[in-house]
Amino acid sequence: MERIEVRLLGQLLVRRSDGSVVAPDEWRTTRTTDLLRLLALDAGQPVATHVVIDRLWPNVASERGRASLRTAASQLRKVLRADCLERRAGALVLHGAWVDTQAYDGLVTRLDAARRAGEHAEVVALAQQAEALYRGDVDAPDASGDWLHEVRDRLRRTRCRALLDASNAAACLGWMRDSLDLARQAVELEESEEAARALMRAYAGMGEVPKAMQVFDRLRTDLAEQLGVDPSPQTRALHLQLLTGTAAAATAPRRLVGHEESVNAMVAAITSGLDSGEGSLVWLRGEPGSGRDSVVEAACATMGLSVHNMNHDPLWVKEAAPGEPWDMPAADVIVMPAARDVPRHARVVLRSLMERHGGVLVVPVRRTSPTEQVGGERVATGTLVDVGPLTGEDFDELARQVLQGEPTARLVQRLRAASAGLSGTACRVARRWLGEGRIVWTEDGLDLVAGRGLAELHLPAQVRRLLRPLSPTATDVVHLVALAGDEVASEEISAVIERLHGFPVPASELERLVDLGLLVRGVHGYRLKERRACDDLVGWLRPGARQRIHQVIAELVTLSPPRRVRHLIGAGRHRLACEVGCAEIAQAQARGDDDAVQELVEAMLELPASLQPRSLLRDTQSLQRSERSAR
């Protein structure tokens, strides 16, 4: 770690250049910490001496103020164990320091530039990065004076503005779940009309218009009770648009992802049947959940035709009095009940129905042929349209649509595995996960967490609330367990903390973290109670601190070979990770452990491409061939 790290957002946390964290009792006086805060806000820039004295010692004589400043500066150098303060022409400069407020302001500045350039995806990404830094409001004790409260209020306003900009940008992209989460956070910070409108638009984009109306009703009541006024014309106009269903769509109409060829084939089959004037049969072949119904509906919508789906409405004929003939539904296209296969005698019945209807009958089946063998000749009995599973970018786009946000690669992979790539099944699974609260917003995008019933928790705020009362040592314990990603023995935790801080962590500190609900004891050690907190805790760490903890974990914690390789990569020790991974792959191949080889190959694929050995590519190709042959 090459620089001092100063965290002003949330509880003050300072990490020296050697990686150790400054304990609260090392500061001695409040003025020493205030001097650090004041200089850190403008780190690298001179702060006039008279400004420092006016803010920290406003009610003392000039000479006494200068003496107090010299004492506080000397104490600050002693605590930080570095000559990081420089006197420059009647001013003080804090140099060699990374400060989270400066990093946050830099991200917000880039966000504003991206907003003005219309780069919506960049706006959302920068907002998520900024939120990972914002552990909480600046800790502003009353003893510090009004200047620190002003800094806290400015950053709160900046954060609210960034969240609203990102919510609007996400809505423009059609990422309505991201838009909703960002708007909710903005409303928590500031109950303004603009924030309420963003929340109303997000709810409406999610199809939850009643909730959008509740937001308006609550806003109108609050304005009437507190200010005696009505909502602004802009808010009332949006309310009217939602009432009448005339609100402008944030994005273009969605296409049926990945089934364009099937839709085109269905359009051609329907057109051919209608043009003949005698009707036709269309065999719609695909697995249940592959999106067969959606293909028919999209084709009929393209042609402006009516469709009656008997899988949704089993009453497929009109009721008639005894003795009267039954009539087919008055629709251009009828979708028959889905079946695994259609035997020969059933096809005769279908042809009879088709002749009575005079239109197009679509028969969803899992397996069939559009022809049958009759007297040695193949006689056509219908048109075949296939609907297969989605692959590659098509499935990724479907995930974005159904989740209404940008998912992580891990979430897409889990969704593909749970649905076998079938679009309809993927939509049902994703909606079930959403209803269970298992889809959460992280810095990297929407992600899947274990457990149920977590939807009511607001993770970033929850993490900030839990971290606020922790000591620096306890904070590093939580970060260590989050980075380890699995249970860590108490002895290993103590060894890592001793390497980082110079003293082992007391057992009472671990028990306190268990009592607070941050950690739980497992069979082999301690792990995070809320697994979904890992991404936020890891994302909050500065890259230098994260690499240092990764390296100590790789050296001192008992790990499986793939996990050790990943920690070495996280520590920036790429060549060592390559050497360890290659050696472990050779041992796994010698004992015929293909599963271990696959795990190691997946871990080493995280290396930069220039450092991946050629043998790794051969192992990857070999594993792919083995998987194909197994299927």
Side-chain angles (χ1 to χ4, degrees):
M1 296 180 61
E2 72 290 351
R3 293 188 294 174
I4 298 167
E5 177 183 346
V6 182
R7 298 272 183 176
L8 300 177
L9 294 168
Q11 186 184 32
L12 178 66
L13 187 144
V14 181
R15 196 184 296 269
R16 302 181 183 92
S17 59
D18 63 0
S20 61
V21 175
V22 179
D25 57 2
E26 294 185 65
W27 293 110
R28 289 183 55 187
T29 66
T30 303
R31 290 294 176 260
T32 306
T33 56
D34 284 347
L35 177 60
L36 175 68
R37 290 187 178 101
L38 182 57
L39 297 178
L41 288 169
D42 292 303
Q45 301 296 323
V47 181
T49 303
H50 68 86
V51 172
V52 177
I53 295 174
D54 288 344
R55 289 185 175 178
L56 302 187
W57 297 276
N59 300 318
V60 301
S62 177
E63 288 301 322
R64 185 178 173 185
R66 291 179 182 279
S68 299
L69 175 57
R70 287 193 295 271
T71 302
S74 175
Q75 178 64 20
L76 187 58
R77 292 188 183 94
K78 181 179 178 181
V79 170
L80 297 178
R81 302 172 189 169
D83 187 16
C84 55
L85 295 185
E86 177 186 350
R87 291 186 178 275
R88 187 186 302 173
L92 281 176
V93 182
L94 176 66
H95 59 80
W98 177 93
V99 184
D100 59 354
T101 53
Q102 288 189 332
Y104 183 83
D105 285 335
L107 288 170
V108 171
T109 300
R110 291 168 55 195
L111 184 152
D112 187 59
R115 177 190 61 80
R116 287 185 274 107
E119 298 173 353
H120 302 307
E122 183 71 6
V123 170
V124 177
L126 289 170
Q128 292 171 343
Q129 293 176 39
E131 279 299 291
L133 283 176
Y134 207 104
R135 186 170 57 130
D137 292 334
V138 171
D139 193 9
D142 293 335
S144 298
D146 294 338
W147 66 273
L148 195 52
H149 292 271
E150 293 172 0
V151 170
R152 179 195 61 192
D153 294 342
R154 178 189 68 80
L155 286 168
R156 281 177 62 89
R157 291 192 299 271
T158 301
R159 182 187 178 208
C160 186
R161 180 71 266 161
L163 288 170
L164 288 174
D165 288 342
S167 177
N168 294 332
C172 291
L173 293 167
W175 300 352
M176 301 313 300
R177 189 158 300 278
D178 281 338
S179 179
L180 180 61
D181 287 338
L182 293 161
R184 280 173 174 168
Q185 293 180 71
V187 169
E188 289 179 3
L189 287 175
E190 179 181 276
E191 295 184 357
S192 65
E193 286 198 56
E194 185 179 4
R197 288 197 297 271
L199 189 58
M200 290 168 64
R201 292 191 193 95
Y203 272 130
M206 293 287 294
E208 299 179 356
V209 176
K211 290 186 178 181
M213 297 302 180
Q214 292 175 8
V215 174
F216 176 80
D217 292 339
R218 185 166 57 249
L219 173 67
R220 180 172 56 185
T221 301
D222 291 343
L223 289 175
E225 292 178 352
Q226 298 174 13
L227 303 175
V229 298
D230 291 329
S232 67
Q234 298 94 322
T235 306
R236 294 200 303 270
L238 175 60
H239 177 246
L240 180 62
Q241 290 172 353
L242 295 176
L243 280 174
T244 59
T246 58
T251 57
R254 295 178 180 176
R255 63 184 179 88
L256 188 60
V257 177
H259 293 310
E260 290 85 353
E261 293 184 4
S262 299
V263 172
N264 294 336
M266 180 61 67
V267 168
I270 292 174
T271 301
S272 175
L274 295 178
D275 290 344
S276 68
E278 300 177 356
S280 66
L281 284 175
V282 179
W283 306 105
L284 186 60
R285 183 169 61 185
E287 292 293 324
S290 60
R292 295 176 298 189
D293 290 346
S294 298
V295 167
V296 178
E297 292 166 3
C300 292
T302 301
M303 304 175 69
L305 301 177
S306 59
V307 58
H308 182 94
N309 194 326
M310 291 169 53
N311 295 284
H312 301 161
D313 184 3
L315 186 63
W316 60 282
V317 293
K318 296 180 180 178
E319 294 184 4
E324 294 183 1
W326 284 358
D327 293 327
M328 296 290 288
D332 299 311
V333 178
I334 297 177
V335 181
M336 304 299 291
R340 181 178 182 85
D341 201 350
V342 181
R344 181 186 179 91
H345 68 275
R347 299 187 185 198
V348 175
V349 175
L350 287 172
R351 281 196 294 270
S352 175
L353 292 173
M354 178 193 69
E355 293 169 358
R356 177 188 300 181
H357 177 246
V360 177
L361 297 188
V362 177
V363 187
V365 292
R366 294 183 65 177
R367 58 182 185 184
T368 190
S369 171
T371 61
E372 60 182 1
Q373 197 78 16
V374 178
E377 298 180 358
R378 299 180 65 83
V379 181
T381 60
T383 305
L384 176 65
V385 175
D386 276 313
V387 181
L390 301 184
T391 58
E393 294 181 359
D394 286 335
F395 191 89
D396 296 346
E397 179 62 25
L398 176 70
R400 294 187 190 97
Q401 281 199 7
V402 69
L403 296 171
Q404 297 192 354
E406 185 67 21
T408 62
R410 179 172 61 179
L411 173 55
V412 173
Q413 183 179 6
R414 294 284 297 276
L415 184 60
R416 183 182 287 110
S419 63
L422 301 177
S423 59
T425 304
C427 292
R428 287 195 296 272
V429 171
R431 292 189 180 107
R432 186 180 76 243
W433 287 347
L434 288 168
E436 295 172 353
R438 297 179 62 190
I439 305 293
V440 298
W441 182 58
T442 70
E443 180 188 357
D444 298 324
L446 297 172
D447 205 351
L448 179 68
V449 295
R452 298 167 60 96
L454 302 176
E456 68 278 3
L457 293 178
H458 199 290
L459 181 60
Q462 179 76 354
V463 171
R464 292 194 296 270
R465 198 160 49 245
L466 291 174
L467 287 178
R468 177 174 286 274
L470 297 186
S471 66
T473 303
T475 301
D476 268 358
V477 170
V478 175
H479 287 143
L480 158 66
V481 177
L483 278 172
D486 204 349
E487 293 182 1
V488 185
S490 58
E491 298 81 5
E492 294 172 332
I493 293 175
S494 185
V496 171
I497 296 301
E498 185 171 9
R499 175 74 66 85
L500 294 174
H501 293 266
F503 54 86
V505 61
S508 59
E509 195 71 52
L510 294 175
E511 294 303 315
R512 179 169 175 267
L513 292 174
V514 172
D515 294 339
L516 286 173
L518 274 167
L519 300 184
V520 294
R521 282 190 299 271
V523 177
H524 303 292
Y526 293 86
R527 60 174 175 81
L528 285 182
K529 182 175 182 180
E530 295 290 351
R531 294 296 182 91
R532 66 175 183 167
C534 284
D535 287 332
D536 288 84
L537 290 167
V538 171
W540 179 81
L541 279 170
R542 190 166 68 91
R546 190 184 312 163
Q547 287 186 354
R548 182 180 178 86
I549 297 177
H550 270 303
Q551 181 170 341
V552 180
I553 289 175
E555 293 175 357
L556 300 180
V557 177
T558 302
L559 302 167
S560 64
R563 289 177 58 206
R564 186 175 303 282
V565 169
R566 285 191 167 94
H567 281 293
L568 288 171
I569 294 173
R573 305 292 300 277
H574 294 156
R575 294 192 180 279
L576 180 58
C578 182
E579 294 173 3
V580 171
C582 290
E584 293 291 345
I585 286 176
Q587 294 180 18
Q589 288 175 332
R591 61 177 183 268
D593 192 344
D594 291 338
D595 291 338
V597 172
Q598 182 171 1
E599 291 181 10
L600 285 162
V601 168
E602 290 175 355
M604 292 185 67
L605 288 175
E606 298 177 14
L607 284 166
S610 60
L611 290 178
Q612 293 179 9
R614 294 181 180 178
S615 59
L616 183 63
L617 178 60
R618 291 196 299 270
D619 294 333
T620 305
Q621 294 172 340
S622 175
L623 287 170
Q624 291 173 346
R625 286 194 297 270
S626 299
E627 291 176 356
R628 286 195 295 268
S629 62
R631 289 197 295 266

